[in-house]
C-alpha cells in the first residue's frame, strides 16, 4: 500500500489567455497528487478523527457513504495505512456488481454493510455496530475535527499572497476549514455541487462561528445536482485538460474549474486578483464513465 506523500503537493500556475486578458493570476493547489486512493481533501478531513480514535484506543472506524464515495475509499485507505480496522455503511442495497470504489475499499480491508436508502437517510446503524470499540465518523467527515484537519490544507501554500481561495463544497467541511485556516483578507469562494442546498451556509458557519463576510457560497454550478453532468461539463473538463494537463472529476472539481472559468468571464474577479483553486481530488469517481468519455 502506497503511503500518503504530502511532498507531492504542487502549486501549478495557470497560463491561459483568458487570465492574461482579465489581469488575474490563478494558482492550483494540487491535493489530487498525494495518493491514488486518498487523493485530495479527504485525508486532511480524516486526519484528526483518526488521531482521536487512536487516542481513545478505538479499534475500528465506522463511516458512511454511497457506492462511488470518495470519503469511503479514502477512509478505507487511511485506516489501512494507520493499522486500524474500517467499516463502511453503504447507502442502498448490495448489487451483484460492486462499484470499483467498493471493490477497492473491500480489498483494503473495509467491511461493508449495505442499508436501504431509507434506513441510511435516517442514520440507522446496524445493531451489531453499536459497540464500544467503534469510532464513528460522520458522512463526508462533516464536523469540527474534519474542518480543523482541512484548515491544515493552507499550510501547503503561501496563503498571504492570495485574494481569493476557491473550492468545491459538498458538506462544506473543507470550506469551513479553509475559512478557519485563512488570513483576514482571503475571501473563500465555495462552489456548491448540490442543487439548491441553501442549508450549506448554516452548515459552514456552525463549524466556523461568525465569519460571514469572509466567504461566499455560489449555487449556480451544480449541473442539475449531485453527480449530475451534461456534455458541456464533460467538454469543459477535456478542454481544460488539453490546455493545462490537469485532470478533474465530474462530481466536484470539474464543476469548480468550470465555475471559476465562467466567473472569470463575468468579471467576478477584479484585475489584480490572485486566486488559489483547491484541487481537492476525487478522480477515482471518473471510473464510472465508459472508456473514451474523458481523454485522461
Ligand atoms: C468530498 C469532496 C469535496 C467536498 O468536501 P466537503 O468538505 O464535503 O465540502 C470536494 N472535492 C472532492 C474531490 C471531494 O471528494
Amino acid at each position: 500500500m502506497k503511503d500518503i506523500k504530502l511532498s507531492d503537493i504542487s502549486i501549478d500556475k495557470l497560463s491561459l489567455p483568458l487570465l492574461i486578458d482579465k489581469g488575474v493570476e490563478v494558482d492550483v493547489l494540487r491535493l489530487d497528487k498525494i495518493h491514488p486512493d486518498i487523493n485530495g481533501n479527504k485525508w486532511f478531513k480524516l486526519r484528526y478523527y483518526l488521531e482521536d480514535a487512536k487516542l481513545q484506543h478505538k479499534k475500528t472506524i465506522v463511516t458512511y457513504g454511497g457506492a462511488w464515495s470518495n470519503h469511503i475509499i479514502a477512509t478505507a485507505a487511511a485506516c489501512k495505512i494507520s493499522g486500524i480496522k474500517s467499516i463502511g455503511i453503504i447507502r442502498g442495497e448490495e448489487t451483484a456488481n460492486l462499484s470499483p470504489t467498493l471493490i477497492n475499499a473491500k480489498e483494503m480491508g473495509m467491511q461493508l454493510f449495505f442499508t436501504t436508502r431509507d434506513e441510511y437517510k435516517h442514520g440507522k446503524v446496524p445493531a451489531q455496530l453499536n459497540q464500544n470499540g467503534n469510532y464513528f465518523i460522520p458522512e463526508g467527515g462533516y464536523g469540527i475535527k474534519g474542518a480543523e484537519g482541512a484548515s491544515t490544507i493552507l499550510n501547503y501554500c503561501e496563503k498571504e499572497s492570495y485574494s481569493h481561495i476557491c473550492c468545491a463544497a459538498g458538506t462544506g467541511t473543507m470550506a469551513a476549514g479553509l475559512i478557519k485556516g485563512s488570513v483576514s483578507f482571503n475571501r473563500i469562494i465555495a462552489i456548491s455541487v448540490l442543487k439548491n442546498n441553501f442549508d450549506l451556509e448554516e452548515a459552514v458557519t456552525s463549524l466556523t462561528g461568525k465569519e460571514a463576510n469572509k466567504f461566499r457560497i455560489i449555487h449556480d454550478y451544480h449541473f442539475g445536482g449531485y453527480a449530475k453532468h451534461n456534455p458541456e461539463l464533460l467538454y469543459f473538463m477535456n478542454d481544460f485538460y488539453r490546455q493545462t494537463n490537469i485532470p478533474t472529476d465530474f462530481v466536484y472539481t470539474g464543476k469548480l474549474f468550470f465555475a471559476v472559468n465562467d466567473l472569470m468571464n463575468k468579471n467576478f474577479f477584479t484585475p489584480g486578483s490572485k486566486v488559489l483553486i483547491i484541487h481537492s481530488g476525487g478522480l477515482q469517481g471518473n471510473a464510472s464513465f465508459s472508456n473514451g468519455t474523458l481523454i485522461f
Side-chain angles (χ1 to χ4, degrees):
M1 178 98 199
K2 265 188 81 175
D3 225 331
I4 296 157
K5 262 183 92 183
L6 297 174
S7 57
D8 282 352
I9 296 174
S10 66
I11 294 181
D12 296 359
K13 188 174 171 56
L14 297 186
S15 52
L16 300 168
L18 175 65
L19 304 179
I20 297 163
D21 193 38
K22 300 290 181 186
V24 175
E25 282 182 61
V26 177
D27 286 348
V28 180
L29 187 65
R30 297 288 304 274
L31 304 181
D32 56 309
K33 289 174 155 186
I34 65 174
H35 192 276
D37 301 310
I38 324 179
N39 69 53
N41 66 358
K42 293 297 184 278
W43 180 79
F44 289 92
K45 291 203 289 178
L46 286 168
R47 62 189 299 186
Y48 293 141
Y49 287 114
L50 291 178
E51 267 185 37
D52 191 40
K54 281 193 164 175
L55 269 174
Q56 294 188 36
H57 303 291
K58 301 286 187 183
K59 294 201 172 57
T60 308
I61 299 287
V62 184
T63 197
Y64 311 81
W68 294 94
S69 164
N70 295 329
H71 173 67
I72 283 289
I73 185 88
T75 304
C79 286
K80 178 151 197 216
I81 290 171
S82 313
I84 188 164
K85 284 188 200 148
S86 65
I87 292 177
I89 300 176
I90 309 302
R91 182 182 57 231
E93 265 141 277
E94 185 163 9
T95 50
N97 292 319
L98 288 184
S99 67
T101 308
L102 294 183
I103 291 173
N104 207 346
K106 237 175 138 170
E107 277 170 8
M108 288 187 280
M110 181 178 260
Q111 207 187 333
L112 304 179
F113 280 84
F114 292 84
T115 57
T116 64
R117 281 170 190 272
D118 205 47
E119 284 170 341
Y120 188 92
K121 212 169 110 196
H122 294 98
K124 264 216 175 139
V125 174
Q128 68 266 47
L129 296 186
N130 272 321
Q131 293 174 18
N132 241 341
N134 288 350
Y135 185 93
F136 285 80
I137 298 181
E139 183 176 28
Y142 178 79
I144 298 279
K145 285 200 163 38
E148 276 169 3
S151 75
T152 65
I153 288 172
L154 293 178
N155 297 348
Y156 294 86
C157 68
E158 267 188 57
K159 53 192 173 190
E160 293 80 8
S161 62
Y162 298 104
S163 53
H164 300 81
I165 298 173
C166 302
C167 70
T171 63
T173 313
M174 170 171 56
L178 295 173
I179 294 165
K180 274 177 189 259
S182 60
V183 293
S184 61
F185 52 83
N186 293 152
R187 288 290 167 270
I188 315 301
I189 310 294
I191 306 300
S192 174
V193 302
L194 281 84
K195 187 176 179 178
N196 300 341
N197 180 21
F198 301 121
D199 294 338
L200 193 53
E201 269 84 358
E202 170 65 26
V204 171
T205 45
S206 73
L207 298 179
T208 59
K210 285 260 165 285
E211 298 264 12
N213 59 348
K214 276 202 91 171
F215 80 99
R216 176 151 165 205
I217 296 175
I218 297 182
H219 294 278
D220 302 333
Y221 298 99
H222 56 71
F223 286 83
Y226 184 73
K228 297 278 199 312
H229 55 84
N230 66 13
E232 190 186 12
L233 178 65
L234 302 182
Y235 178 86
F236 173 83
M237 288 164 62
N238 281 331
D239 193 50
F240 186 72
Y241 180 77
R242 252 183 237 113
Q243 294 191 54
T244 63
N245 249 335
I246 299 177
T248 52
D249 78 295
F250 73 100
V251 181
Y252 294 101
T253 55
K255 293 178 184 180
L256 167 65
F257 283 95
F258 184 100
V260 174
N261 182 69
D262 193 54
L263 291 169
M264 197 73 68
N265 272 314
K266 292 176 173 158
N267 300 316
F268 177 92
F269 303 100
T270 51
S273 296
K274 189 157 179 194
V275 179
L276 180 72
I277 305 180
I278 310 292
H279 192 318
S280 44
L283 300 171
Q284 62 96 26
N286 287 342
S288 64
F289 284 123
S290 53
N291 280 347
T293 308
L294 297 172
I295 59 170
F296 48 85

